[in-house]
Structure formats: C-alpha cells, structure tokens
Amino acid sequence: MEMKPSVEIIQLPLSFLLLGLSALVVTWLLCFRLLKAFSASKSSGSSSPTSQSYTGSETEKDWTLPSMDSHAHRDSLFHRWDPRIKLLSLFVYIFCVASITQVPTACIALLSAIGSVAAAHIPFRHPLRRLAAMGGFLGMLLLIMPLTAPAKQGDTLVVFQHLSFMTFNFRGFLLALLICLKASAIALMMEPLLGTSPFSITIHALARLGVPQQVCQMILLTHRYIFVFFHEMKRMNAGMKARGFRNKTNIETVRTLGNFVGMLMVHSFERTQRVYEAMTARGYNGTLPDYISFQALQQDWIKGAFWIILGVVLVGMDRLW
Amino acid sequence: MHQTQYPRQAGSEQRPLFEIRSLSYRYPDGQPALREIDLTIHEGDRVALVGHNGAGKTTLIKHLGGLYRPQQGTVLYKGIPLEGNILDTVRLEVGILFQDPDDQLFCNTLYEDIAFGPMNQRLEQEEVDHRVRHAVRKVALETVLYKAPHHLSYGQKKRAALAAVLSMRPQVLILDEPTANLDSRQERLFWELFQDFPGTLIVISHDLAFMYGICDRAVVLEQGKIHHDYVMKELVSQRAYLRAHGLDFTFRFDTHAHPHASPEGHSHRHMNSVGHSDTHSHPYPDLHSHSEEHIEEAPTFPSRSSRSEDEKEGSAALSSIPDISKEDIPSTLLLLHDYSYRYPDGTWGLRNVSFTVREGENVAIVGENGAGKSTLARCLMGIIAGMGRHELDGKPITPKNRSDLWRHLGMVFQNPSDQLFCPSCQEEVAFGPRQMGLPPEEVKLRTKEALEAVRLTGYEHRVPHHLSAGERKRLAIAAVLGMKPRVLILDEPTAHLDQRSEELLVEILQRLDITKILISHDMPLIMALCRRTVVLHEGKIIRDYESAELQHDEHLISINGLDYTYKNACCREIMALQQDFEAGQSR
C-alpha cells in the first residue's frame, strides 16, 4: 500500500504566481540595467571624440568576462598577502562555504564575500559581470527546482488556483536559494583569491604548494593562448560574415560550421607546434624558469589563520543552527 | 653558371660559425624542403636569405637554430656537429625572431617573456632584470612591461618578440620576416637596431630594399637548393640576376623612388587634430564631401597629358590608374560622416571620421600600426558599427540593412587564412555566391571567372590550406570577386609575399575594374594602385591628398612618425647602382 507523504498545502490565488514571476523579471531587468550602467561608467573614463555630441551610448557593448588579474596592481590586505598562504587558506574557507547547508549561514558567507571584494579594492562591476554570467543558470535553478522537487514528508507545497497540476515546493525553493547564495559567495571570493596577484604568480604559488609543474605550465599556456585563439576565431567569424554567412537551421550551416571548427583546430595545432619551437629556441627544456621568490611574514600567517577560523565558525554555526 | 661560393676576402680572419654540408630535409609528407645545401657562414657575416615562398628559407634557419635535426648531411656550429648536448648551448647563443610574434610571446606578461631566455641562460636575478629593462628600452616598450601580450598591438608584439631575443644577447641573430606588416616608423627602429647589432646576422625577408641596408651577403634559395651566393650589392645592382631568380623588385619602386615633384599648382589639405584644415587645394574638389567648406581655391587636376615625358616613363605603373577629370566626377558610392567607433575596452578606434569614396576610385589608407585603418575598413563593411552617418549610394546604412552590406562590399583580410575555411578552392570561391542565393549555374560560372581573374584556373580541387602565401592571397581575392562586389577592400595585400607573387598580385589588381580601398604600409603598391591617399592617426583623418604627395610630406614624420624617406634613399641607391652597372655594360 502506497503511503502518501504528509505535507502542508497552501492554496494561493493565481495572481500571487503572476506577482512572483513579475518580481523575478523586474529583478532581472534591474540587474541588467545595473550592469549596463557599470559598463557605461567604465567607458566614460576615456575622452569622447567631441564632448557635446556623443555619450557613447551606441558603442559596442563589452559582455566579455574581465581578465582575472586586471586589478592585481592595486594595494590592499589581499594584495600584500603571500600568494601561497592566500591560496591555501582561502581554498579551505571556500571548501567550508561549499559545505554549508543552511540559508542564513549562506547569507553570512555571501556578506563576508562582498566585504572581501570591497576590502580587496576591486570595483564591483567585475564580480557583477561574473555573477551575470552565472545568472542565467542560477535563475533557471530558482525557477525549476521549486516546481520539480518531489514532495517529501514535512514539505510545504504552494498550489495556485486553476493550476493544480503545478505545485511550488518551498523546500525546493530553499534548496535552489542555498545553491545560489553559496555559488555567488564562492564566485565573489574568486576576486580576492585570484584577482589580487598577477596570474603567473598565482600559478607559481600553486606549483610551490605541490601542484605538478606540467599542470601549472598547461594552465599558464592555456591562459595565454585562449586569447590568441579567441581572436583568431573572431577574425575567422568576421571573414565568414563578410561573405554573407548567417547562422540558419539548415544542413549548409552545419557544414560551414564544421569547416570552421576544423580549420580552427588545424590553425591551433600548427600554432602549438610553432610555439613549442619558439620556446625551445629560447632554451626551454621542459620546465619554465622560476624567478619568483616568496617570503611568508607573520601577518601572512595571521591572515591565513583568520580565514580558516572563519570557515570553521561558519560550518559550526551551520551545524548548530 | 651559378655562383654558389661567396667571394670572401683573402686573409679574412673570421672563423666559420656555421658549416652546412650536403644538408637535405623532407617534410613529414615526403615533400623535399632542402636539397644538398652547402653553405658556410662566418662570424660577423650579415646574410640575406632570399627566395620565393616555399623555397626552404625558414626550414634552413630552423636547422641553424638547432630546432630541426638534419635528415641527411651535417650542420656544424663552431666546428661541432649540431646534435646532443650542444643543441642546448646553440639555442642560447642563437636568437631567432619568428614571423608571428604571438608564437614567441607565450608568457602572461611581457616581463616574463623577455626574462624567459636570460633565465634559461642561468643568469643572476639582478642581471636578468637589467637585461630585461635594457632590451625593453631598446624597443621603446617600457610603458607596457607588465602588460599581457594579448593586450598589445601587432607592432608592439613584434617589438616585444625582438626584445625577448635581444635580452639573451645572442651571438647570432636570425630574423624571419622581421618587418612584415610594420609601419615605416617601426621598420626604421628595427633597421637601426639591426645595423647596430655586433654579431652575425641572418635575415629572411622579401623586402630587398630593407635588407640592402643591413646585409652584405645574399644567399638565393630556390626549390630547396642554394642557387646563388652573392655580394649583396652585386645582386641588387644587376637586374638580370634579380629577374633570373624572380626577385626583381624594381617594378615596385619605378614609381616609388622616382622623384615626383609635386605637380605644379597642386596642393593638399592637412587636417589637424581637432579636425580643422590648413589651406591646401586638392585634385578632387568634390570627391570629399566633408572638405568642401575648407577648400579655399578651386584646384585643377593635373591631367596625364600635362606631365613631363620623363615622369610618364618613370611612372609605368601609374598608367593603369584611371584618370578622373572634373567633368566626369562619378557619384559618391560610400560615405562616412562624423563617424566614431569605440572598442569595448573604451578606447576610440575612430573619431569623427568623414570619408567619401566615389565609384571607380582607388583610395589608399595609411597610418601607423593601431591608427584605425582596419577598424575603418570593418566599419565600412558593416562588420562593426559605430556612431555617425554611413551611406551607400546615398542610402543610409541602418542596423537593419547593415547585415546586407556584404552583397556590395568585399574585403580581403590581412591574413588570408582568416577567410579561407572550405576544403577546396572551388568551394571557397562558390561560398559567397551560394550565400547570395544564386542558381547553381551562375555560381559555377562566377567561380570559374573569379579563379580565372586571379590566375588560379586548375586549382579548383586543391586544398586552400596547402597553397603558398601568394596563392592563398589570390584565392581570398577570388572568393570576394565571386560575389561581384562594387567595392573591394584590401587589408595589407602584399604582406609576406615574394616578389613574383607580389608582381602578379599588383598586375591582377590593376586590371580589376572596381572601386578599391587599399590599406597598406607599402608605398610602391600605393603608388602603383591609388591616386588618392588618406592618412589616419589615432583614429582621425589627418591627411587626404594625392598619393604622390605622401612621399614628400615631411610633416607626417613629426605627427605620427611615418617616415618613408630612408626607404626611398635605399631605393634610390639601388637604382643608381643598377644604372651604373647598365652604363658600364653598354660601354
């Protein structure tokens, strides 16, 4: 005999659903406008061609993700921190945040991440653009999970009038919210973690922490050549568009895209060979020269201890809540 | 009889540095790259390696740099065969500057890239730092020392790659097309650095005028063999030698070095940085809508008949440029008015540009690297969109019809590989017409005609990727011509081409009865194809005048550093040598 789980059901008029959806759309639009405003404020730093005639409103929008270490030259507590200890302790902290199970603790983690970004003197438009990149995925999660989470004992279900087939599971919503909060907190922590030292120094620090040399070299070369391949891809795409190529849903488009990807791979393979030759020609024999010397001071250890303790406290609070 | 032994002075005390004996090499696909090469390069030699694309020049220098192992024969460095542990030493003593700077800048900051070589030489940290700063100062890149290479312009990357080699203080400097795609200012910087280089210098370039100033020996390679080993002066002074090897580059500066006097009564318009013009007249009074209000006197176009006989003879290439008389000034085809474009990072690519192109006109766009030339071309093509008025045939280009501009304008990119992606030449040329929705018979006909126009008949089933640089460039042109555009935009069409390919390309372009916009640093090409030149500087048009005036525009050097005078001097010297030689022969 099948046991029906005992759940609390709340009946709401349809207007509540419409209101919720509207709030979601408005929030999304507000975020979009906020990002646009940030982009505009960034661009306004450069002088306009004639101050009275152009505001820059029609210029091409930059939706690309900002480069990871573009603010590595600034000065803050995070910038002055030994990258090895910074990596180790913040990684432990992030691991602690990832293991949080309660929404209130996740909120605290998010607030601490926002505080860290501010303390690292990184403009908020950078992390916001990263969050925007994740936004679509997280938004879908917020929408889908409450509607699809299976009902369990003790769950609260919201049923809308005239839409009885669709139940809004409050537990599913909380779970989605928890994931969103944790993901945002971790994404924000990436800024003080990776954005406060030059990328190559961060990777050298990783190597000192025991990550294999080959892996570090691969990360460094990937980071360098991802931009080269991206530019190559953009040029090829422009070349195709200049001859009338437009994405359509037909076999011709699939064939052209196949040729495009194939040619991109051929170019990449040839470049790999040339880069290896250029490296060999300047004395490369399997290891990248290490010219960075790290020195850990007492304050570096104190900072490290603070973040690890904060992580442990968060987990403790989470478990005791 | 070929001269394959460089006539070294008796009693010369220079030690042999490289001794190559019976060197042969085949590519993995079995194609021979080098065949029975015998060559000795002494310490302090300054060697120009010349030959067509695919002659084996790059393969040879890779052997010298210890990157390739000889399949047959031997390569000795200071008397020791290049194999085993000696390779590590050679790589640290021989510096190679590769063609593409992106291959050579593999670190995440410029500092790391320049320090890479000295670090591998196991130098002390202070010495490495000193060398990095010294090298970066030499190439004038101090301000971008900690930037990532992908944030640099092409010219900056090229200079950075040179700094990365110079910081190793190599005994031998090998340069593969060091100045391709560089503006004259940077070309001159390279020229001065190479002139001061104290060690052995080996240069591959198609620019004989450039190499003439820095090399004293010329080794001619043809189909993987050493065809000749000349004294540089001897090679350039004898047109017959140059012609025999397909290296006759004098067709380029028949117009270039020719001392064009600015035509009488002719003057031009200078636009200063705020867009005001100085008082100069112009041969095309109505060709530039934006300039009408500034031109004070009605200029007269110097008709070809009014030119001196001497000028006519010297300007053979110019004869193909169609004359435009005042009476039959064609209609405006393309117009940009007060047009600006800003890159996503906030920097201005174009600022208040006003630019007009008439039907049938050939216009050159010049400017230093990063001046906005390619950006202007992309805006004209509608690939990117800025602010301002953009018109085709008097009709405004709106976001809606911008995507249809490709039907009227065709563009050949700097690197033809960027626009060749089909598995065969036929498919490549047919791609555009197919996108236009033409019937298969018409596509076939256009493909045939376009391939014929660029002399690639018979190449229909060949793979574009396997063609030589010159053939690929011509294929890219065919791919555009197949769409029968009204305007052909060419971005650096002669970069990396050998003399033969270049001559053929110029001939093809001269025959094309179509409006052309040419972006180039190549003065002879501009002189051969375009009567009008527009100079861009920091995204603004600062000059718009007759091409002949560009060579004599001394103000240009102070504004954007473009200096064609030193190249002109080389060309004049070479022509004088040829005239002396020919006079001696006739006596």
Side-chain angles (χ1 to χ4, degrees):
Chain A
M1 200 174 109
E2 194 182 338
M3 288 282 291
K4 198 157 185 170
S6 72
V7 292
E8 186 186 349
I9 296 175
I10 303 169
Q11 286 243 345
L12 287 176
L14 188 62
S15 55
F16 271 67
L17 176 66
L18 295 174
L19 207 68
L21 284 174
S22 307
L24 206 66
V25 171
V26 168
T27 312
W28 189 82
L29 281 174
L30 276 174
C31 288
F32 186 75
R33 284 187 73 92
L34 196 68
L35 272 173
K36 263 179 89 170
F38 269 123
S39 293
S41 69
K42 179 193 166 195
S43 301
S44 63
S46 57
S47 61
S48 62
T50 49
S51 51
Q52 75 276 21
S53 53
Y54 295 111
T55 57
S57 57
E58 288 181 41
T59 47
E60 193 179 332
K61 298 288 180 296
D62 180 13
W63 295 112
T64 55
L65 289 181
S67 75
M68 215 177 284
D69 59 351
S70 52
H71 296 286
H73 58 278
R74 296 188 177 208
D75 186 37
S76 73
L77 283 170
F78 288 95
H79 288 82
R80 291 192 296 272
W81 195 358
D82 186 313
R84 295 168 302 170
I85 305 172
K86 180 167 66 182
L87 275 173
L88 197 66
S89 50
L90 286 185
F91 189 75
V92 171
Y93 170 76
I94 285 169
F95 189 78
C96 292
V97 171
S99 60
I100 285 173
T101 54
Q102 305 287 335
V103 171
T105 338
C107 285
I108 295 171
L110 181 63
L111 285 174
S112 92
I114 292 169
S116 304
V117 173
H121 295 164
I122 292 171
F124 269 99
R125 65 170 177 268
H126 272 237
L128 274 181
R129 274 160 71 185
R130 282 192 208 290
L131 289 183
M134 297 160 51
F137 174 73
L138 295 179
M140 284 303 287
L141 215 61
L142 273 175
L143 201 68
I144 301 294
M145 275 188 79
L147 301 176
T148 54
K152 285 186 179 173
Q153 207 155 20
D155 279 0
T156 307
L157 301 180
V158 180
V159 181
F160 297 100
Q161 270 175 358
H162 313 298
L163 294 171
S164 54
F165 60 91
M166 199 167 74
T167 52
F168 184 92
N169 191 327
F170 205 67
R171 186 179 54 82
F173 173 72
L174 283 181
L175 195 60
L177 187 65
L178 179 70
I179 293 170
C180 289
L181 288 170
K182 286 200 296 184
S184 302
I186 292 170
L188 286 176
M189 281 311 291
M190 289 298 142
E191 294 293 335
L193 178 68
L194 302 171
T196 51
S197 301
F199 184 71
S200 51
I201 291 182
T202 304
I203 300 302
H204 279 290
L206 266 181
R208 298 288 176 84
L209 289 173
V211 175
Q213 274 283 340
Q214 282 85 346
V215 174
C216 293
Q217 285 182 33
M218 277 164 62
I219 296 172
L220 280 171
L221 287 170
T222 305
H223 181 255
R224 163 71 183 101
Y225 282 98
I226 209 157
F227 296 97
V228 176
F229 292 134
F230 178 67
H231 288 144
E232 202 157 284
M233 199 177 80
K234 272 179 85 174
R235 287 199 306 272
M236 280 179 72
N237 190 250
M240 286 164 69
K241 280 187 173 169
R243 279 156 68 199
F245 175 73
R246 299 289 179 272
N247 280 319
K248 290 175 193 157
T249 45
N250 57 17
I251 196 76
E252 187 66 28
T253 303
V254 174
R255 202 167 64 159
T256 307
L257 287 177
N259 286 337
F260 170 77
V261 172
M263 198 45 72
L264 201 65
M265 284 177 78
V266 170
H267 288 179
S268 311
F269 180 76
E270 287 177 347
R271 189 179 288 281
T272 310
Q273 186 63 31
R274 293 200 304 269
V275 171
Y276 179 70
E277 282 174 2
M279 290 174 80
T280 311
R282 271 160 53 209
Y284 174 75
N285 52 12
T287 51
L288 291 177
D290 192 355
Y291 63 96
I292 298 158
S293 55
F294 296 105
Q295 198 181 8
L297 303 172
Q298 195 182 15
Q299 59 199 35
D300 296 317
W301 291 109
I302 294 170
K303 286 176 200 168
F306 168 79
W307 281 100
I308 292 172
I309 291 167
L310 183 63
V312 173
V313 168
L314 276 176
V315 173
M317 280 168 67
D318 187 68
R319 297 292 182 266
L320 296 171
W321 207 280
Chain B
M1 179 73 188
H2 295 305
Q3 176 191 330
T4 52
Q5 188 65 48
Y6 179 65
R8 192 164 295 283
Q9 282 184 334
S12 168
E13 289 181 4
Q14 289 169 330
R15 285 190 306 157
L17 195 66
F18 289 107
E19 291 169 86
I20 305 171
R21 300 284 166 257
S22 305
L23 175 68
S24 295
Y25 186 83
R26 279 178 185 274
Y27 292 124
D29 63 1
Q31 199 190 337
L34 297 175
R35 291 189 278 193
E36 295 291 320
I37 298 275
D38 283 301
L39 179 71
T40 305
I41 296 170
H42 289 73
E43 276 179 1
D45 272 2
R46 301 174 83 82
V47 186
L49 270 182
V50 292
H52 300 139
N53 294 117
K57 305 184 293 293
T58 303
T59 310
L60 180 59
I61 62 161
K62 283 183 179 173
H63 278 91
L64 298 180
L67 298 175
Y68 284 3
R69 311 280 168 87
Q71 291 168 346
Q72 275 177 39
T74 52
V75 179
L76 305 181
Y77 177 72
K78 294 180 180 173
I80 305 164
L82 270 182
E83 55 193 25
N85 291 339
I86 188 75
L87 285 172
D88 292 335
T89 314
V90 171
R91 286 169 189 161
L92 296 175
E93 290 181 4
V94 177
I96 306 180
L97 180 71
F98 292 91
Q99 265 185 43
D100 187 347
D102 270 321
D103 296 342
Q104 204 148 359
L105 302 172
F106 39 80
C107 297
N108 284 275
T109 66
L110 197 50
Y111 186 98
E112 290 167 49
D113 260 314
I114 301 174
F116 185 85
M119 289 298 296
N120 283 325
Q121 287 173 323
R122 312 249 175 251
L123 297 174
E124 290 295 318
Q125 185 63 51
E126 291 76 28
E127 176 62 14
V128 171
D129 190 64
H130 169 71
R131 283 198 184 189
V132 169
R133 288 175 197 285
H134 186 252
V136 89
R137 211 166 29 245
K138 273 189 159 181
V139 296
L141 286 177
E142 296 100 316
T143 51
V144 291
L145 186 56
Y146 295 101
K147 273 202 166 188
H150 54 264
H151 287 144
L152 306 183
S153 70
Y154 180 83
Q156 286 176 325
K157 278 187 208 170
K158 197 87 187 185
R159 282 187 276 150
L162 179 63
V165 177
L166 290 179
S167 66
M168 296 170 74
R169 308 240 166 114
Q171 293 177 25
V172 185
L173 188 55
I174 300 178
L175 312 161
D176 194 352
E177 290 285 359
T179 56
N181 292 341
L182 290 189
D183 62 37
S184 58
R185 180 182 50 165
Q186 303 191 73
E187 204 173 87
R188 184 169 186 138
L189 176 80
F190 273 42
W191 190 67
E192 285 167 357
L193 283 171
F194 301 151
Q195 272 206 323
D196 294 342
F197 181 70
T200 308
L201 193 69
I202 301 169
V203 190
I204 294 177
S205 177
H206 295 303
D207 190 350
L208 274 180
F210 175 78
M211 289 198 289
Y212 172 72
I214 52 170
C215 299
D216 47 28
R217 181 181 172 189
V219 175
V220 183
L221 262 91
E222 203 165 300
Q223 292 178 336
K225 280 184 172 178
I226 291 188
H227 217 250
H228 249 104
D229 196 350
Y230 288 107
V231 172
M232 190 72 182
K233 270 192 176 175
E234 194 187 340
L235 175 70
V236 296
S237 64
Q238 297 180 44
R239 278 193 172 194
Y241 283 180
L242 292 174
R243 267 197 294 273
H245 300 304
L247 299 169
D248 187 7
F249 61 110
T250 48
F251 77 95
R252 306 178 84 240
F253 53 82
D254 273 349
T255 52
H256 185 213
H258 190 80
H260 281 296
S262 197
E264 206 178 325
H266 177 88
S267 52
H268 58 264
R269 189 171 57 86
H270 292 186
M271 296 179 80
N272 64 22
S273 57
V274 287
H276 298 141
S277 357
D278 301 339
T279 310
H280 297 279
S281 64
H282 198 280
Y284 313 101
D286 296 314
L287 284 186
H288 322 295
S289 61
H290 57 283
S291 64
E292 286 167 3
E293 66 215 67
H294 299 298
I295 296 168
E296 292 183 8
E297 58 181 286
T300 51
F301 181 72
S303 69
R304 192 157 295 284
S305 58
S306 68
R307 293 185 165 206
S308 66
E309 284 304 309
D310 176 49
E311 213 176 344
K312 277 183 193 171
E313 280 171 20
S315 309
L318 269 175
S319 61
S320 61
I321 303 174
D323 275 349
I324 302 167
S325 64
K326 217 178 164 183
E327 290 75 41
D328 53 17
I329 290 170
S331 58
T332 301
L333 185 62
L334 262 175
L335 177 137
L336 285 182
H337 183 75
D338 211 10
Y339 202 86
S340 299
Y341 174 78
R342 194 155 58 172
Y343 292 110
D345 68 359
T347 53
W348 290 98
L350 294 176
R351 292 195 276 187
N352 307 112
V353 166
S354 292
F355 176 69
T356 315
V357 181
R358 299 254 165 186
E359 187 99 54
E361 200 180 8
N362 291 343
V363 187
I365 300 174
V366 301
E368 73 277 11
N369 288 120
K373 305 182 295 293
S374 298
T375 307
L376 176 61
R378 280 162 190 258
C379 285
L380 286 172
M381 280 292 299
I383 295 172
I384 50 176
M387 303 168 281
R389 210 163 86 214
H390 183 186
E391 288 179 8
L392 176 74
D393 259 342
K395 289 170 194 151
I397 303 298
T398 58
K400 203 175 172 186
N401 63 10
R402 186 177 293 121
S403 55
D404 274 342
L405 270 175
W406 64 275
R407 291 176 185 273
H408 309 279
L409 285 83
M411 183 166 170
V412 179
F413 288 66
Q414 210 172 81
N415 183 359
S417 303
D418 290 342
Q419 61 189 129
L420 303 179
F421 48 85
C422 292
S424 75
C425 296
Q426 191 172 31
E427 285 183 66
E428 198 67 69
V429 180
F431 181 82
R434 273 205 200 112
Q435 296 298 315
M436 294 171 93
L438 297 173
E441 300 77 33
E442 177 67 13
V443 171
K444 207 173 169 185
L445 181 71
R446 285 195 181 198
T447 306
K448 189 171 169 275
E449 283 174 356
L451 285 171
E452 255 171 32
V454 298
R455 318 259 175 92
L456 285 178
T457 307
Y459 281 62
E460 286 81 357
H461 302 292
R462 288 182 62 177
V463 181
H465 192 65
H466 293 163
L467 301 183
S468 72
E471 288 166 343
R472 261 185 300 192
K473 191 68 98 176
R474 282 187 279 142
L475 180 63
I477 294 174
V480 174
L481 290 181
M483 300 191 293
K484 296 200 174 165
R486 296 176 66 191
V487 182
L488 179 63
I489 303 174
L490 299 139
D491 195 352
E492 292 287 357
T494 54
H496 300 291
L497 296 194
D498 58 39
Q499 314 299 337
R500 205 177 275 173
S501 308
E502 194 181 319
E503 194 171 2
L504 182 60
L505 186 74
V506 172
E507 198 188 318
I508 289 165
L509 292 176
Q510 281 176 337
R511 280 171 192 271
L512 287 178
D513 186 20
I514 187 174
T515 306
K516 290 187 272 289
I517 298 174
L518 172 71
I519 297 168
S520 184
H521 296 303
D522 190 342
M523 274 302 292
L525 181 76
I526 292 168
M527 297 303 294
L529 289 175
C530 305
R531 189 174 286 281
R532 178 182 158 207
T533 295
V534 171
V535 184
L536 273 173
H537 173 55
E538 292 179 356
K540 289 181 177 179
I541 291 182
I542 56 163
R543 295 281 193 279
D544 191 345
Y545 48 27
E546 200 175 345
S547 301
E549 292 180 68
L550 178 66
Q551 293 185 83
H552 307 286
D553 191 349
E554 288 171 7
H555 302 293
L556 219 50
I557 303 170
S558 58
I559 296 170
N560 60 7
L562 290 186
D563 178 10
Y564 298 104
T565 50
Y566 87 98
K567 203 70 167 285
N568 282 352
C570 280
C571 293
R572 274 197 288 274
E573 207 174 314
I574 291 171
M575 288 189 89
L577 280 172
Q578 291 183 346
Q579 280 161 10
D580 285 351
F581 180 79
E582 280 158 19
Q585 290 279 86
S586 62
R587 277 199 294 271

